[in-house]
């Protein structure tokens, strides 16, 4: 079945460091890919998305490129801030049976220290 | 515009009791999905409703049920609570079933079963 694997955390960085959170997926077909962010005590927020191969999603300085050849959607940011501390979820969405199904990775906790 | 509203934010229940959680989607959104989030299992899909009909269902026992009203508000019910049902329950709404643009999540209801 469909699955998403993302790097295990926690990830701890200093402010202004470069961030990469790896995400790979397994799916038969061409999924849409998403990154969601969950700040402490809150629900998930859509951070960025890509719906086809080679698309680059970007938002708030974060970027991820849909790589079909490596089945990856790695999240990057050039200079993290303390306010980026949160849990990040990679997800894919596929049409299965008669419905769309959203599958999440386990999440990666990011802590950014001043 | 108002986001997805989940009530209550926190609940403490005793084993064997039942509980009802509520979700009001973004105005105009007709699809509501429910997820259970736990540290061990991550985010797991419970069910999705659209136009008062359950369109998709995850692998949860029959103790977990839901419904959607004509105004798109949704409730989920868990009967005969078990300790393992302690989790953050997230509701997500979207315009239609199958939109490729992802969901908008609420802040969740934190259920603790003692």
């Amino acid at each position: 079945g469909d699955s998403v694997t993302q790097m295990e955390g926690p990830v701890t960085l200093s402010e202004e460091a470069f961030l990469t959170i790896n995400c790979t997926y397994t799916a038969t077909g061409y999924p849409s890919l998403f990154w969601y962010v969950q700040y402490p005590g809150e629900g998930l927020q859509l951070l960025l998305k890509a719906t086809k191969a080679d698309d680059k999603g970007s938002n708030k300085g974060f970027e991820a490129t849909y790589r079909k050849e490596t089945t990856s959607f790695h999240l990057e940011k050039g200079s993290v801030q303390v306010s980026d501390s949160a849990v990040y979820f990679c997800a894919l969405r596929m049409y299965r049976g008669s419905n769309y199904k959203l599958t999440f990775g386990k999440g990666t906790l990011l802590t950014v220290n001043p | 515009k108002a986001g997805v509203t989940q009530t209550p934010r926190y609940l403490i229940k005793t084993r064997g009791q039942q509980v009802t959680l509520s979700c009001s989607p973004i105005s105009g959104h007709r699809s509501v999905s429910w997820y259970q989030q736990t540290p061990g299992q991550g985010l797991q899909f419970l069910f999705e409703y659209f136009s008062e009909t359950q369109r998709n269902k995850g692998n949860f026992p029959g103790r977990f049920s839901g419904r959607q009203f004509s105004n798109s508000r949704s409730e989920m019910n868990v009967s005969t609570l078990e300790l393992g049902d302690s989790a953050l329950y997230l509701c997500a709404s979207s315009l239609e079933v199958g939109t490729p643009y992802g969901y908008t999540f609420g802040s969740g209801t934190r259920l603790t079963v003692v």
Side-chain angles (χ1 to χ4, degrees):
Chain A
D2 301 330
S3 66
V4 175
T5 303
Q6 55 183 110
M7 62 187 287
E8 290 194 20
V11 173
T12 303
L13 297 172
S14 298
E15 207 164 23
E16 299 184 0
F18 184 86
L19 168 71
T20 299
I21 300 179
N22 290 336
C23 171
T24 58
Y25 66 89
T26 301
T28 305
Y30 303 97
S32 295
L33 301 173
F34 305 87
W35 276 101
Y36 284 87
V37 58
Q38 185 177 33
Y39 297 103
E42 298 184 13
L44 277 70
Q45 302 176 23
L46 179 64
L47 182 59
L48 52 84
K49 65 182 186 294
T51 57
K52 62 183 188 298
D54 299 325
D55 269 2
K56 177 186 281 188
S58 61
N59 186 26
K60 299 181 181 179
F62 291 89
E63 293 183 339
T65 301
Y66 189 148
R67 302 285 187 201
K68 180 170 171 291
E69 63 277 11
T70 55
T71 62
S72 65
F73 193 55
H74 304 321
L75 182 68
E76 296 181 336
K77 186 175 185 182
S79 176
V80 293
Q81 305 300 313
V82 173
S83 57
D84 293 327
S85 298
V87 180
Y88 292 81
F89 293 89
C90 185
L92 69 83
R93 188 169 180 147
M94 279 295 300
Y95 195 76
R96 292 284 177 240
S98 57
N99 292 290
Y100 279 90
K101 181 184 173 187
L102 190 62
T103 303
F104 287 90
K106 295 276 191 183
T108 302
L109 172 63
L110 170 66
T111 301
V112 180
N113 295 318
Chain B
K1 59 182 176 182
V4 178
T5 303
Q6 291 189 246
T7 56
R9 287 297 305 272
Y10 302 93
L11 265 179
I12 300 176
K13 289 287 188 179
T14 304
R15 264 186 309 175
Q17 287 186 311
Q18 76 165 13
V19 67
T20 299
L21 312 182
S22 178
C23 172
S24 294
I26 288 176
S27 178
H29 283 196
R30 297 162 65 196
S31 174
V32 173
S33 297
W34 289 89
Y35 288 82
Q36 181 195 65
Q37 185 180 16
T38 59
Q41 300 297 319
L43 279 154
Q44 294 188 283
F45 173 73
L46 281 153
F47 26 66
E48 181 174 19
Y49 285 86
F50 180 79
S51 293
E52 302 177 66
T53 302
Q54 189 180 89
R55 297 301 183 99
N56 205 355
K57 190 175 187 304
N59 297 321
F60 277 80
R63 299 186 297 106
F64 291 81
S65 63
R67 60 178 176 169
Q68 186 181 34
F69 302 94
S70 58
N71 62 358
S72 295
R73 190 177 71 84
S74 177
E75 290 181 347
M76 68 163 280
N77 184 77
V78 188
S79 62
T80 320
L81 283 165
E82 300 176 0
L83 295 179
D85 297 333
S86 295
L88 179 66
Y89 289 88
L90 292 167
C91 162
S93 75
S94 59
L95 277 168
E96 303 280 347
V97 172
T99 173
Y101 301 111
Y103 298 113
T104 301
F105 281 82
S107 298
T109 294
R110 172 75 62 185
L111 172 65
T112 302
V113 182
V114 297

